[in-house]
Amino acid sequence: MRFMMLMIPLGYETAPPDVQLDPERVAAMMRYNEQLQDAGVLITLDGLHPPSMGARVSFATGEPLVTDGPFAEAKEVLGGYWMIEVASRAEAIAWAKKCPASANEVIEIRQVQEMTDFSPDVQEAAAGFAELQKGSRARR
Amino acid sequence: MRFMVIVKANRDTEAGQMPSTDMLAAMGKFNEEMAKAGVIEAGEGLHPTVKGARVKYASGAAGVTRGPFKLTSDLIAGFWLIKTASLDEAISWMKRAPFEPGAEIEIRQVFAVEDFGEALTPELREQEERTRAYAAKK
């Protein structure tokens, strides 16, 4: 089963565009990343720039409406994520507990949807998506 | 530049309601356009928070809370990773996404190795490259 571990650093919703990272924290996180890798559970991982550098597109009226960040109403935002392959949700939780996170951080664990989770109709409508991704990656 | 496009959860996604075949077909076409343009890296949907958990580190020890979580505009239902030359280009792609009224997405730039500056020492950079190379092989 694939899970996303969503890193939610409280306070990141108001971080400036040039947010500075603490080298010690980066090093501790890298050690954790390496543990995930050594255990063979890591698929991919990324960190995100603060929302003050981002944008939102809302389709509330059917027409796309663009708002530049930061987003006043956001109470929690994503700071980054890991995608892991484990046997169960409990195993995903066990990995999240090992993360050298700070007191202001929360990790949300969410199961990734697989084609086999859906009805045959849905699988047929979405057929070819995995191939598209592979093709696109190959061209990068 | 790489961007993560976060698709926000709503009552339907949290209820586990799956998109209609028409919606899937429209999204499939949109994904195909992005793939042909070499823009899309990845895209996934997430099961509702009822199947998820949160881990908090406030007390030093990790405390686990099981889902479901309160529905706010901060909850996530899925994401794309895309590669474009600018935020504006990412926005213009996403304006074409065939979402139904009420949908909202957030576009966030992904950190590249050079963004970390001196905090990422040569050793850490090497470790990062090793980790990614290994993960890419999976």
Side-chain angles (χ1 to χ4, degrees):
Chain A
M1 298 162 89
R2 290 184 303 158
F3 285 86
M4 277 185 100
M5 297 197 294
L6 305 167
M7 173 57 95
I8 303 166
L10 302 177
Y12 203 57
E13 61 278 3
T14 54
D18 58 346
V19 65
Q20 294 303 307
L21 300 162
D22 171 3
E24 275 182 29
R25 294 230 41 228
V26 172
M29 246 350 140
M30 283 305 296
R31 283 194 296 273
Y32 174 67
N33 295 341
E34 193 139 43
Q35 281 180 359
L36 288 166
Q37 176 194 314
D38 290 345
V41 300
L42 184 69
I43 299 173
T44 181
L45 74 173
D46 274 306
L48 302 181
H49 282 280
S52 47
M53 286 173 68
R56 283 185 174 186
V57 183
S58 131
F59 298 82
T61 61
E63 284 298 303
L65 176 75
V66 181
T67 318
D68 284 326
F71 315 111
E73 71 279 22
K75 290 191 187 61
E76 44 184 49
V77 296
L78 203 54
Y81 73 93
W82 296 263
M83 195 180 288
I84 59 174
E85 173 87 49
V86 290
S88 66
R89 182 169 80 154
E91 198 185 331
I93 292 173
W95 274 109
K97 284 167 105 168
K98 287 185 192 165
C99 180
S102 314
N104 68 319
E105 290 175 322
V106 174
I107 291 179
E108 184 175 306
I109 293 147
R110 298 280 297 279
Q111 192 185 339
V112 177
Q113 292 172 331
E114 309 292 357
M115 273 299 148
T116 47
D117 297 332
F118 303 123
S119 68
D121 289 3
V122 169
Q123 291 192 36
E124 200 175 316
F129 184 62
E131 287 67 33
L132 282 178
Q133 289 180 333
K134 286 194 195 92
S136 180
R137 274 201 206 103
R139 276 199 301 277
R140 285 214 316 272
Chain B
M1 297 162 95
R2 295 168 68 229
F3 290 91
M4 186 175 196
V5 178
I6 299 163
V7 182
K8 304 285 180 176
N10 57 34
R11 219 170 303 151
D12 290 347
T13 62
E14 277 296 272
Q17 193 181 327
M18 297 312 300
S20 67
T21 301
D22 286 354
M23 181 65 177
L24 283 165
M27 263 316 162
K29 221 172 98 197
F30 175 63
N31 285 329
E32 198 159 13
E33 281 172 35
M34 287 201 291
K36 282 183 179 147
V39 166
I40 194 167
E41 269 187 40
E44 301 288 353
L46 302 182
H47 281 277
T49 60
V50 68
K51 292 187 174 183
R54 282 189 168 200
V55 183
K56 289 186 186 171
Y57 302 85
S59 59
V64 180
T65 318
R66 304 277 168 164
F69 308 120
K70 188 168 169 261
L71 177 60
T72 69
S73 66
D74 298 328
L75 283 188
I76 293 171
F79 76 98
W80 283 281
L81 280 169
I82 61 174
K83 205 177 174 122
T84 58
S86 66
L87 175 61
D88 285 344
E89 194 192 332
I91 291 173
S92 64
W93 269 106
M94 284 303 146
K95 279 171 123 173
R96 295 165 49 191
F99 280 110
E100 284 158 352
E104 184 175 40
I105 60 178
E106 184 176 307
I107 303 168
R108 298 273 300 281
Q109 191 184 339
V110 175
F111 278 111
V113 166
E114 51 273 17
D115 296 325
F116 287 94
E118 285 171 14
L120 200 71
T121 62
E123 294 76 28
L124 288 171
R125 184 181 283 239
E126 197 184 307
Q127 183 187 45
E128 166 85 359
E129 281 158 9
R130 263 204 320 276
T131 304
R132 284 184 185 275
Y134 173 86
K137 280 207 291 281
K138 275 193 72 98

